[in-house]
Amino acid sequence: MSVQTFDMLLASLRSGLTFQDTNMRRSISPEERLLVTLSFLVTGNSFASLHYEYLLGISTISGIVCHTCQLIWQRLRDAVMPQPKAEDWPKIADGFYQSAQFPNCLGALDGKHIRVKKPPHSGSQYFNFKQYFSIVLLALVDSNYRFIIVDIGAYGSTADARILCSSRMGERLRPNQLALPEPRRLPGSSASAAPFVIVADEGFALSPHVMQAFPRRDLVDRKRIFNYRLSRARRYVECGFGILSNKWRVFLSSLQMSPQNATLLIQACVILHNFTRIHDAPSEPEVAPFPTTTSVGLDHNPQGRPGSAGLEVRELFADYFISREGALSWQLNSIRGTRR
């Protein structure tokens, strides 16, 4: 985070971080409160370690971090992660088409398990398939690695598809209350209009607005190409989670706090991620080279048979990706493991 970005962040939060001096003590300044919080999020050091660095009580530091995280979410959420409007979705789709050559894509969806200390009397609710306790960050990410919509705090034992269905995003996606654009033809294609879709992995159910890869059995080149093109778009959510974890290194170890406070911390880091991407990141996203071999799926729980509408949409995209208008010059070499 640059000095200019820190000053902008402090200006947005100053009024909420300013407390009155008393005859007994002077209040902790807004600058120090924000520095303590950012130090904890960036380094992942314990409150006991920060106690020696800032000469503040451990309970004081804990209160400062929780209060500042809550303030960051309340003050900056509408500015850096607003609810997408009808005119925003086509811009997001254009970004994916330019960066990943996947048309009509509204975002990449996935869940990240955030390791937490086992809450008392919680049984196996927070115990996930990776064999540790966690809460889930479910996120929709655009082509600039910014979070569009998030759902935070689900039990680690819950499958991604179930989290989506019970989240506000999933509830609004089913009756199409997210102001999604009307279907439009794929670039250069004369076929029927295709709906706008979200790309996801095997942990989510296939539907007209959520695309997943073809099952990895009896794959012909047409299906392999679709899986390759979908993975090119889906990598943005994986890279977004990677940027989040490496910038805010508190996620590299278990969060030693209650799930409620952990949720506040994750909310703040998501907002700070978008804030720094807007003010510090270059205007053009750096796209990492895409590996030839791809892996899909955090969750391998079967989701039942997909509806025919979702299958038809996937077939429409698969046909487009091997057509003259939608094919990429290198896609056959990529799926066959050869490079020129």
Side-chain angles (χ1 to χ4, degrees), residues 26 46 66 80 112 138 148 164 218 221 223 259 268 308 310 330:
R26 296 184 62 182
S46 64
C66 291
V80 302
K112 176 177 176 59
L138 184 72
I148 305 171
L164 177 64
D218 302 327
D221 282 352
K223 294 183 178 181
S308 60
W330 66 85

Side-chain angles (χ1 to χ4, degrees), residues 55-215:
L55 301 180
L56 297 172
I58 295 177
S59 61
T60 301
I61 293 175
S62 175
I64 288 174
V65 169
C66 291
H67 173 261
T68 307
C69 287
Q70 186 175 22
L71 190 66
I72 289 172
W73 174 259
Q74 293 174 347
R75 292 285 180 90
L76 299 178
R77 176 181 52 183
D78 293 336
V80 302
M81 197 177 64
Q83 176 71 37
K85 299 178 182 178
E87 59 269 21
D88 296 329
W89 292 117
K91 298 177 183 177
I92 296 172
D94 291 342
F96 271 100
Y97 184 60
Q98 294 174 6
S99 301
Q101 294 77 50
F102 198 106
N104 289 20
C105 178
L106 300 180
L109 179 69
D110 204 356
K112 176 177 176 59
H113 288 269
I114 307 296
R115 189 187 296 263
V116 298
K117 180 179 68 174
K118 180 184 182 300
H121 313 297
S122 61
S124 60
Q125 285 181 324
Y126 293 90
F127 196 70
N128 62 36
F129 70 99
K130 297 182 177 182
Q131 307 300 306
Y132 61 81
F133 296 93
S134 66
I135 59 178
V136 179
L137 163 61
L138 184 72
L140 185 68
V141 176
D142 67 12
S143 60
N144 289 315
Y145 311 107
R146 300 176 192 165
F147 295 105
I148 305 171
I149 303 174
V150 296
D151 182 86
I152 304 170
Y155 297 136
S157 61
T158 309
D160 288 345
R162 185 174 298 177
I163 297 173
L164 177 64
C165 289
S166 60
S167 68
R168 186 179 179 186
M169 176 173 61
E171 292 174 352
R172 299 182 68 183
L173 185 62
R174 286 192 293 274
N176 196 10
Q177 296 179 3
L178 288 176
L180 301 183
E182 292 296 322
R184 70 180 182 188
R185 288 182 177 177
L186 300 177
S189 174
S190 59
S192 58
F196 285 82
V197 298
I198 294 169
V199 295
D201 64 15
E202 296 170 347
F204 298 90
L206 180 68
S207 73
H209 291 296
V210 179
M211 289 289 100
Q212 62 164 233
F214 284 102

Side-chain angles (χ1 to χ4, degrees), residues 42-53:
V42 169
T43 65
N45 290 340
S46 64
F47 293 151
S49 176
L50 296 175
H51 157 68
Y52 292 103
E53 184 175 350

Side-chain angles (χ1 to χ4, degrees), residues 6-66:
F6 176 84
D7 290 339
M8 293 175 60
L9 179 62
L10 179 61
S12 301
L13 304 176
R14 180 178 291 276
S15 61
L17 297 176
T18 303
F19 292 83
Q20 186 176 4
D21 295 334
T22 67
N23 294 330
M24 301 295 295
R25 57 159 178 80
R26 296 184 62 182
S27 63
I28 302 171
S29 67
E31 291 83 357
E32 188 169 9
R33 288 176 174 271
L34 184 56
L35 279 173
V36 168
T37 302
L38 292 180
S39 295
F40 175 69
L41 298 179
V42 169
T43 65
N45 290 340
S46 64
F47 293 151
S49 176
L50 296 175
H51 157 68
Y52 292 103
E53 184 175 350
Y54 289 94
L55 301 180
L56 297 172
I58 295 177
S59 61
T60 301
I61 293 175
S62 175
I64 288 174
V65 169
C66 291

Side-chain angles (χ1 to χ4, degrees), residues 108 110 112 141-147 231-247 273 277 285-291:
D110 204 356
K112 176 177 176 59
V141 176
D142 67 12
S143 60
N144 289 315
Y145 311 107
R146 300 176 192 165
F147 295 105
S231 296
R232 279 176 54 84
R234 202 180 64 80
R235 63 180 166 161
Y236 284 91
V237 66
E238 303 287 357
C239 292
F241 287 149
I243 295 170
L244 178 75
S245 297
N246 282 278
K247 183 178 286 289
H273 170 90
R277 291 299 300 174
E286 309 95 339
V287 180
F290 189 72

